[in-house]
Amino acid sequence: MVTGNPPLLEVPSGSFEVSRLPGEILDGNYNNQSFQVAEPIHLSLIVPTYNESGNIEKMVRVLTSLLDQALPNSYELVIVDDDSRDLTWEIAQGLMREYPHLRVMRRQTERGLSTAVIRGWQAARGEVLGVIDGDLQHPPEVLLQLLSQIDQGADLAVASRHVEGGGVSDWSIVRRFLSRGAQTLGLIILPRVISRVSDPMSGYFMIRRSAIAGQKMNPLGYKILIEVLGRGNIERIAEAGYTFQEREEGESKVTWRQYQEYIYHLLRLRFSTGRLGRIRRKLDFPIGRFIRFVMVGCSGLIVDMGVLYFLHGVLGLGLTRSAIFAGQLAILNNFLWNDIWTFGDVSRKQRQWGKVLKRLLKFNIICLMGLILKILLLNVLFNGLHLNPYLANFLAIAVVTVWNFWINLKLSWRVTQTK
Ligand code: GDD
Ligand code: MN
């Protein structure tokens, strides 16, 4: 009599890289004799879950009955749960006795939909790697279409809401607008990737293992498909229409944070793949930090404008005095966020108050020098080249932003020190 629950899957760690062979050990030191390659199967379907206790049993039952017919003994379901408060992982673990093709991973130190999927693929044994939501909003029967498209030679098969037979149930106008807006933004920032599929936001697709094996991925947030499209070796892409269903139990975990992460993810892919990626690697330019620095700078712009309006527009203070005060507050705002976020890994090693004040002083001086540089540039572009004043101002800000970033990188936070 087997007592206790069957064992959970070991959680892979280290880089987000899928091995060429199922079960191959990637980060350790191994030679060909020492590592055990798991018995390959055809399909590994990852089901990322967070608080899906109301859906998971039906999900496993429906997927098993479908795949037992289509792929007898040649598939596995891999639930990757992020330590759900509602103990989804424990319910799934209990189901393993009844469903022999079910494997369960409980992550306790990492969180996030995209990283969950990749950790599942790293532990997977399939030649084909798939992902489907664990809340029954992705109709399971489309799996068979995706699988036959892969078997007919596609490297990637995506379930799409925006092709023949696709759609969403009764989504609000706001949700439709946000989804389409995110797609449009992706087409502007990363056209080479986002334009390749009709539904880049899809979280329902299958990929041939060889198309992503050995690629160091750097996933973020919800949109695992853009990471696969951005870093995989994908020649042939197929799509199958599906209608996004209404949830039966639980609720969506999408918050504003996922939208912010999506924008950051697009920018990071933009600067770390393709032509710009090659240039950046040559320059050894820390693009992740630079993107964060720019986002902090945007918040400073809002502070600057808001304080200027309050002092000059509401309190009636003189424009120059208001602008200086607003500018100084914006610099403090930027220092704070850069110290916490952009260069957090560096500043956490230099927490002493004296060091913080030293960084603040340097940051302030560099930004004030940047302000002088900006005014000079603005005059050259406006009075010398007769550019439109706002275009001239924008270009001057762009140049000064790179100057501010690079000098602060080398002087204020001295990233070189921690290398
Ligand atoms: N492991 C893990 N960790 N799973 C997660 C996490 C997490 O942090 N967040 C969400 N999930 C799981 C949910 O439990 C669910 O199974 C699935 O990921 C999707 O999460 P939802 O919160 O239900 O997302 P959605 O329904 O709003 O949007 C989904 O469908 C869209 C259209 O395909 C997501 O897949 C989106 O990425 C996708 O664009
Ligand atoms: Mn959902």
Side-chain angles (χ1 to χ4, degrees):
M1 166 68 177
V2 178
T3 55
N5 273 334
L8 292 169
L9 271 172
E10 202 182 315
V11 182
S13 59
S15 62
F16 291 99
E17 193 181 330
V18 171
S19 58
R20 292 183 201 295
L21 295 171
E24 189 181 354
I25 303 144
L26 272 178
D27 288 345
N29 305 314
Y30 65 89
N31 53 47
N32 284 342
Q33 291 70 35
S34 66
F35 69 82
Q36 297 298 322
V37 175
E39 185 54 38
I41 53 175
H42 193 45
L43 170 67
S44 294
L45 186 62
I46 308 307
V47 186
T49 58
Y50 189 66
N51 292 340
E52 299 295 351
S53 59
N55 291 310
I56 199 63
E57 200 281 324
K58 183 176 176 188
M59 189 69 197
V60 172
R61 182 164 26 88
V62 167
L63 289 175
T64 301
S65 68
L66 187 81
L67 293 171
D68 270 353
Q69 294 226 357
L71 274 178
N73 296 317
S74 191
Y75 76 92
E76 62 181 354
L77 299 179
V78 180
I79 291 175
V80 181
D81 184 75
D82 282 357
D83 212 15
S84 297
R85 281 192 310 278
D86 69 359
L87 302 181
T88 304
W89 61 272
E90 198 172 55
I91 300 167
Q93 188 179 20
L95 293 171
M96 285 163 73
R97 267 197 294 278
E98 193 186 339
Y99 295 96
H101 300 299
L102 176 62
R103 301 164 84 199
V104 180
M105 188 187 291
R106 175 193 184 190
R107 298 200 305 170
Q108 292 173 284
T109 56
E110 277 177 344
R111 258 217 64 182
L113 173 51
S114 296
T115 56
V117 174
I118 293 184
R119 290 303 186 208
W121 286 344
Q122 288 179 306
R125 296 174 294 155
E127 294 141 356
V128 180
L129 305 171
V131 52
I132 187 171
D133 285 357
D135 55 13
L136 295 158
Q137 288 192 282
H138 290 161
E141 58 280 5
V142 176
L143 284 170
L144 305 184
Q145 275 177 271
L146 298 178
L147 198 58
S148 77
Q149 288 169 336
I150 295 280
D151 291 344
Q152 286 162 33
D155 297 314
L156 171 69
V158 183
S160 168
R161 295 163 291 181
H162 308 315
V163 292
E164 183 67 29
V168 291
S169 49
D170 54 348
W171 269 20
S172 67
I173 289 283
V174 172
R175 179 107 201 235
R176 287 171 196 263
F177 175 75
L178 284 173
S179 181
R180 280 304 200 173
Q183 185 168 356
T184 311
L185 191 65
L187 284 169
I188 295 167
I189 297 178
L190 198 61
R192 180 178 57 83
V193 169
I194 303 296
S195 60
R196 295 194 69 188
V197 290
S198 63
D199 186 359
M201 305 299 125
S202 177
Y204 188 10
F205 61 89
M206 284 183 193
I207 180 90
R208 189 181 300 286
R209 174 189 287 270
S210 56
I212 52 171
Q215 300 297 331
K216 272 211 182 344
M217 287 188 273
N218 192 0
L220 179 66
Y222 257 49
K223 306 304 170 196
I224 175 69
L225 180 55
I226 61 170
E227 185 68 13
V228 163
L229 279 166
R231 300 193 196 265
N233 293 317
I234 296 164
E235 300 287 326
R236 286 185 54 189
I237 298 176
E239 296 191 326
Y242 85 97
T243 302
F244 191 76
Q245 306 297 306
E246 270 315 290
R247 251 184 185 269
E248 293 170 16
E249 301 283 341
E251 72 279 329
S252 168
K253 285 82 192 173
V254 172
T255 61
W256 276 108
R257 179 174 169 176
Q258 271 73 37
Y259 287 99
Q260 282 170 328
E261 286 176 338
Y262 169 66
I263 296 170
Y264 184 45
H265 192 185
L266 285 172
L267 290 168
R268 195 166 66 181
L269 272 171
R270 182 78 180 87
F271 288 102
S272 56
T273 59
R275 201 161 358 104
L276 275 181
R278 285 188 292 278
I279 295 169
R280 189 197 48 92
R281 274 189 293 280
K282 274 213 186 80
L283 286 175
D284 185 24
F285 189 77
I287 194 58
R289 282 190 204 285
F290 181 66
I291 293 170
R292 295 198 292 269
F293 189 83
V294 170
M295 291 170 88
V296 167
C298 294
S299 76
L301 213 56
I302 296 167
V303 168
D304 194 317
M305 292 300 199
V307 171
L308 181 71
Y309 171 72
F310 178 67
L311 295 177
H312 181 64
V314 176
L315 298 185
L317 230 60
L319 186 63
T320 311
R321 248 185 312 169
S322 310
I324 291 169
F325 199 76
Q328 187 50 56
L329 263 189
I331 287 174
L332 287 176
N333 167 78
N334 292 3
F335 173 76
L336 184 76
W337 290 112
N338 281 319
D339 208 44
I340 296 171
W341 187 41
T342 314
F343 299 98
D345 57 324
V346 178
S347 56
R348 276 190 287 277
K349 296 185 180 98
Q350 306 167 7
R351 280 184 200 278
Q352 303 84 340
W353 276 112
K355 292 207 169 172
V356 176
L357 283 177
K358 215 165 142 191
R359 287 200 297 274
L360 173 58
L361 205 60
K362 285 182 189 169
F363 183 75
N364 225 337
I365 293 167
I366 292 165
C367 288
L368 290 176
M369 286 167 68
L371 202 57
I372 296 164
L373 176 65
K374 191 202 107 173
I375 305 290
L376 288 174
L377 265 175
L378 178 62
N379 278 287
V380 166
L381 295 170
F382 177 59
N383 296 318
L385 302 180
H386 308 298
L387 282 192
N388 166 294
Y390 300 101
L391 175 65
N393 195 43
F394 178 78
L395 292 174
I397 288 174
V399 170
V400 166
T401 301
V402 178
W403 141 275
N404 272 352
F405 172 70
W406 195 253
I407 305 294
N408 278 301
L409 181 75
K410 297 299 172 196
L411 287 185
S412 309
W413 279 276
R414 294 211 314 209
V415 176
T416 40
Q417 248 188 354
T418 56
K419 254 191 191 138

